[in-house]
Amino acid sequence: AILDASDLTISDTEAGFSGGGLYLDDATVTLSDFELNNARGDETWGAGIYAHTSFLSIENGLITDCEALDYISGYEGGAIRATSSSELDFFNVRIEKSSAYSGGGLSISSSTIATLSDFSASNNLATNTAGTARGGALHVGASAEAICLNCSFEQNIADLGGAVAVEAGGLFSDEGGLY
């Protein structure tokens, strides 16, 4: 599936499993001037956007108030969860006020590569009752890679890595970041 859209707003959505706003499976999606807000999901991987073996490009985006409602049970990626060799390419994207078990803002894993330029994540929360929540803003799982250029991570909260948490085997690079 291929989707190319601009000036798109998605609001007040909910999913029973994953991808309250967008569910991408083997898809190519290019978005510009994009806004996603108030996405919810029970037992949700990526309450806002779930990407599996997909390419997602966002230029000029705001993703806010996304919540994995049952995040205590281990669901990751409040705003976005990308996995299984997905590729993310974000320019001038803000993720705010989102929450999940780990990766309150963004969670990537399983050979996913995320290139984040002029990216901002603020006021995101990763929490669980075990005290092992990782990455308030960004969680980089084993074999995943995040490349940040001029990224800002402010006022994010997690048990481990309030801004960024990188698991063994994950890669994270940063140039010009603000924490």
Side-chain angles (χ1 to χ4, degrees), residues 34-56:
F34 172 71
E35 192 169 319
L36 170 62
N37 57 66
N38 202 29
R40 303 279 181 266
D42 291 326
E43 300 180 2
T44 301
W45 297 94
I49 299 172
Y50 177 79
H52 176 265
T53 317
S54 295
F55 173 79
L56 173 62

Side-chain angles (χ1 to χ4, degrees), residues 114-132:
T115 302
L116 312 171
S117 302
D118 296 329
F119 173 84
S120 170
S122 62
N123 298 300
N124 297 294
L125 171 67
T127 187
N128 65 53
T129 56
T132 58

